[in-house]
Amino acid sequence: NAGVMQNPRHLVRRRGQEARLRCSPMKGHSHVYWYRQLPEEGLKFMVYLQKENIIDESGMPKERFSAEFPKEGPSILRIQQVVRGDSAAYFCASSPQGANGYTFGSGTRLTVV
Amino acid sequence: TQLLEQSPQFLSIQEGENLTVYCNSSSVFSSLQWYRQEPGEGPVLLVTVVTGGEVKKLKRLTFQFGDARKDSSLHITAAQPGDTGLYLCAGASPGTYKYIFGTGTRLKVLA
């Protein structure tokens, strides 16, 4: 029973490029959450999705960031025109319907050069 | 905006010592969780508490949820080097499954 799978584990992008981060939730989990973690800091909530719906995107920057969780396939966090300040670890978590407690993936470490 | 403050921010202790980490907020939470995160990995859920005053034990770890459901503590007895890591608390507001994470406590246990 695979856990939450995130890929890539490491991603290097030049300023201005696009970054696509993928997250496959645990089997049977219909809720996906994305968090961002800067070095030596806690996790900051970005967005909460269910299949084909964005439930809460209050933590997403207004520009350049978008997220989706299609009916088929992984959830995608997309960052357009990346800047150095986007460098961080991005974690995805999933949970079943109505459950307390997340299962986190191992994260994608984005470095913008 | 909800804030979860953890204290201490950093803690370095000798193997065998006891320690307590605190998680405080002015907001009420429907549930509160504790996670441990190791370098290069995602957080791993340790416990979820949902009832005010609830106490849960996990081997040498004791978790308590405050009576008013605004704060929590994590007590580790006889710490071991394997306990080293970043400890994070996270709270969910009533009616939501979105968790807000605390500022973290970085624990180092020296052999």
Side-chain angles (χ1 to χ4, degrees):
Chain A
N1 182 20
V4 177
M5 304 300 292
Q6 288 189 250
N7 66 82
R9 285 294 302 268
H10 300 275
L11 183 61
V12 179
R13 284 287 178 267
R14 295 187 184 279
R15 281 178 293 170
Q17 291 185 320
E18 178 180 285
R20 277 182 177 248
L21 288 62
R22 284 175 288 278
C23 169
S24 296
M26 283 187 71
K27 188 175 181 180
H29 287 194
S30 57
H31 297 219
V32 166
Y33 311 81
W34 286 92
Y35 286 80
R36 177 164 64 178
Q37 187 175 38
L38 295 172
E40 306 300 317
E41 292 190 9
L43 280 76
K44 301 296 184 191
F45 169 79
M46 298 182 75
V47 62
Y48 163 29
L49 309 105
Q50 294 179 21
K51 282 286 187 183
E52 299 185 280
N53 285 307
I54 296 174
I55 306 303
D56 184 334
E57 56 181 348
S58 58
M60 288 277 273
K62 293 288 186 279
E63 298 177 349
R64 301 188 299 107
F65 285 71
S66 62
E68 63 177 4
F69 188 17
K71 187 176 180 181
E72 301 290 338
S75 175
I76 305 287
L77 178 67
R78 183 181 177 207
I79 311 173
Q80 294 177 291
Q81 299 175 325
V82 295
V83 300
R84 288 227 171 99
D86 297 332
S87 295
Y90 292 83
F91 289 97
C92 167
S94 71
S95 69
Q97 173 73 25
N100 289 321
Y102 297 164
T103 302
F104 275 90
S106 297
T108 293
R109 277 140 194 89
L110 172 66
T111 302
V112 179
V113 297
Chain B
T1 302
Q2 296 171 311
L3 283 175
L4 274 167
E5 297 286 340
Q6 288 186 238
S7 61
Q9 190 175 359
F10 298 97
L11 188 56
S12 181
I13 61 171
Q14 292 293 132
E15 182 176 6
E17 291 184 2
N18 301 332
L19 67 117
T20 302
V21 175
Y22 299 94
C23 174
N24 294 292
S25 175
S26 57
S27 302
V28 174
F29 296 105
S30 59
S31 65
L32 192 140
Q33 303 173 335
W34 285 92
Y35 291 81
R36 189 176 85 184
Q37 184 180 22
E38 299 191 22
E41 295 298 327
V44 175
L45 180 66
L46 297 174
V47 77
T48 301
V49 286
V50 297
T51 304
E54 183 176 2
V55 176
K56 281 192 174 179
K57 289 182 183 284
L58 183 65
K59 297 183 180 178
R60 294 177 294 102
L61 278 59
T62 302
F63 305 86
Q64 184 160 9
F65 200 11
D67 291 339
R69 292 186 292 145
K70 292 182 179 181
D71 54 84
S72 181
S73 63
L74 158 60
H75 182 80
I76 301 178
T77 303
Q80 299 176 0
D83 296 328
T84 293
L86 176 66
Y87 288 82
L88 296 161
C89 65
S93 296
T96 177
Y97 295 116
K98 178 181 83 178
Y99 281 85
I100 302 299
F101 278 76
T103 48
T105 293
R106 197 165 294 277
L107 171 66
K108 187 168 186 178
V109 182
L110 305 169

